Amino acid sequence: MSKRPAVATLAAVSGDPNTPPRYDRRDLKGPFDLIGDVHGCLRELDALLRKLGYRADRKGVRRHPEGRVAVLLGDIVDRGPAAVKVIERVSSMVRAGTALYVPGNHDERLAAFLMGNEVDLAYGLEYTLDQLEALDDAGRDDAVERFLELYLEAPPYLWLDGGRLVAVHGGLEERMIGEFDTEIWRFC
């Protein structure tokens, strides 16, 4: 059995003591659309977003006409046939402010691999790596940069809607809400 990769997100805390930590988004009010475990399935993600009312703008960014925000609950890569396109879709939505993202264990393993850590090439990671390898150098570099930026800027959980909603991939004990340390990061 492999050891868990030692990769933490940078965004849990901010550098400014007067700025709330990045997981603390209690200022954001819903409605939110919580979406988990996309696993590289772009067609299904786009179908779900359409069903929820999101539409592509001129730049292809999915937006909801009433300002709803999609919250991607990790595991956006691995297993499916379009992991690179899912990275692009999620990244563009996060950059545009139409989505929020917290990483999952599959995202963590891809980030660890891309940063040179040894990980098992299993559980679908091999499919994502094959898709990256199939790109030309510029496309691969862009996809890797987009993913690592998305991952490294993501908090391990989000505290939303005046404290009424906690969004996380795996789980979080109540005592951990509003806090961050290595134990909490590993727990998420």
Side-chain angles (χ1 to χ4, degrees), residues 41-85:
C41 296
L42 182 67
R43 187 178 66 211
E44 292 82 355
L45 174 60
D46 282 348
L48 177 59
L49 289 171
R50 271 191 308 278
K51 188 171 189 152
L52 292 169
Y54 291 78
R55 299 293 179 256
D57 67 13
R58 284 181 234 159
K59 294 182 179 182
V61 175
R62 282 16 183 208
R63 295 180 183 280
H64 196 280
E66 297 170 11
R68 296 174 71 90
V69 175
V71 181
L72 282 292
L73 300 173
D75 285 358
I76 63 171
V77 298
D78 297 348
R79 299 184 178 148
V84 173
K85 292 199 179 289

